[in-house]
Each structure stands twice: as C-alpha cells, then as structure tokens.
Amino acid sequence: VSLAEIVPYIDWTPFFHAWELRGIYPRIFEQEGVGPRAKELFEDAQNLLRRIVDEKLLVARAVIGFFPANSTLEDIEIYTDESRSRILTTFHTLRQQMEKPAGESDYALADFIAPKETGSPDYLGAFAVTTGINIEPVVAGFEKANDDYNALMTKALADRLAEALAELTHKRARDEWGFGKDEKLAHEDLLRERFRGIRPAPGYPASPDHTEKQQLFELLEAQKNTGIQLTESFAMYPAASVCGLYFSHPKSRYFAVGKIDRDQVEDYHRRKGMDLREVERWLAPNLNYDPDV
C-alpha cells in the first residue's frame, strides 16, 4: 500500500501521548505549557514523515478477507465455502460476567454474528496490516549517526502509520461489504468511529486472549501475504503491525470483557482444546478467582 495513501488517515493525538504530551490534536498546540513543545515535535515529525514517504523508507503491506461464518453460543465458526458444511477454523470469544441494569446484556463478540440455528448466512472479516517492513535499517542508520531522537521518531511514526493503515483497510472493507459506499465521513468521523461495524483485535478488551491471533494468521496466510510474524508470545513482528476481525452487524460495538469466573474459563478451555493452566495464564488479568486455590 502506498504510504502517501495512508498518511491522511493518521490520528495524531496518540502520537503526542507517546511523547508524554497530553492533549487532543490539533487543540494541543494552544495548550499552555504544552503547545510550543507540541508544535516543535509535530514539525519534526512532518519533516521525517515526508522523507519516509518520498524516499519509501518503510514498506506497508495489508491483507483482508471475508469468510462464511455463523455463531454457536460464544464460538464463531468459519466455513470452507458457502455450503457451510465444513468448518475451516473457529474463533473463541468470551462473555462479560458482570452485574448490569435490567434490560442490558452481557456481551460476547459472537453475539454480532448470526447464530447457526437461524439458518441465516453471515460473514466475518479479518485483517492484518504492517508499516514496519524495512524499519530496522532506517532506525539503525539514525542510531549509527547518534541521532536517537529520529530513531525514536521513526518508530513512533511507523506505529501511527500502522493504525492509519488499519483505518484505511477498514474503510475498504466496508466498501467491499456494500454499506460503506454510502458513507460520507470526515476525518473526525473516522477517528470517532462514526461508522457501521467494529474491528476488535485479539489481546484487547473485547477479545483478551492473544492466542486467538493464531487462527487469524492461518486464515489470512498473514505471514506470506504481509511479512508479519507471530512470536512465541503472540506479539507481532514488526511491532508496527495491527490485526483483528471485522464485524458488520449494525449494532456491533466495542466493550471490555472484564473479570470472568472459573465456570467460563473451564468452558473456554474445553472449547479451545487448550490446557486449563495455559488458558488461565493467558487470561490472568481477567480472572475473577485465584487459579491456585
């Protein structure tokens, strides 16, 4: 993907947060005590970004796909073809277990895919993107010149470009799905996610299990198509990479699974076919019990 095509989708607010400057872009430039430093940082970033784009110092790659899918309780089955007779892979989701006001549900991502028993064909999207290809020699070059500032700036810009590429590919996905073609969204609307659908990533609040990346990478052949590799800890390399699932349901929304109880964890380990202790290790921040008791 052309870097020049990605740049307009950059959300600059997290860029300043990465440099420990708190504020919302572009209002941060007017903030007392922060504005002058933010302006200087932004100008430096623009200069380096122009060089990265003009000289093609980084390479951006992306893969997206759409797959026949239906849900069975908290699982999302992906099928080999439209006959939906053979399962290709399964994504396992977790359900909130918290007290909510009457009429409010405890969510699981599988809720946003049509249940298998309804006979309604549905689809799940998936994506993996990176803007970190070739970043090592760029950073090494700055470090060799004792320019740690631009070495760090390169990494910060690569991260912003990766998130921007995720935004760009989600827009393309919505267009391919059909409903995105009627969108008339300004840049601010994109940043505030004023569009139909969500793109949750494994390891984040709605899908806290990082090991779900394995199914996603196999489904998309992500390493072959993008060059992104999964480490043993399910981190992505290069670091400036983003992956996740596309849900098109009009009422799909982001949420945090939060704390979950032993009964769900035991059910989850059976559904995944993963050792219980291993599941508890990956879900440790979400456990509402002491696994050693």
Side-chain angles (χ1 to χ4, degrees), residues 25-85:
Y25 171 83
R27 296 196 301 272
I28 192 172
F29 297 143
E30 310 306 321
Q31 282 183 217
E32 186 176 351
V34 176
R37 173 65 182 130
K39 285 181 180 177
E40 180 184 352
L41 187 69
F42 187 67
E43 186 174 320
D44 290 342
Q46 296 305 303
N47 289 334
L48 180 57
L49 183 59
R50 276 192 294 271
R51 184 181 167 194
I52 288 172
V53 173
D54 292 344
E55 299 179 23
K56 297 182 172 65
L57 296 181
L58 300 178
V59 175
R61 293 180 184 150
V63 57
I64 66 176
F66 303 94
F67 306 91
N70 283 110
S71 64
T72 56
L73 297 177
E74 283 78 38
D75 285 345
I76 301 172
E77 295 179 351
I78 305 297
Y79 306 109
T80 55
D81 55 40
E82 290 294 349
S83 73
R84 298 170 187 260
S85 58

Side-chain angles (χ1 to χ4, degrees), residues 189-209:
D189 295 322
L190 289 174
L191 298 185
R192 295 185 178 275
E193 297 169 342
R194 293 174 178 150
F195 47 74
R196 172 176 160 179
I198 58 174
R199 57 170 189 272
Y204 285 81
S207 178
D209 182 3

Side-chain angles (χ1 to χ4, degrees), residues 93-94 108-109 198 200-201 203-208 253-257:
T93 76
L94 291 161
L109 286 174
I198 58 174
Y204 285 81
S207 178
R253 49 170 287 182
Y254 292 105
F255 60 89
V257 168

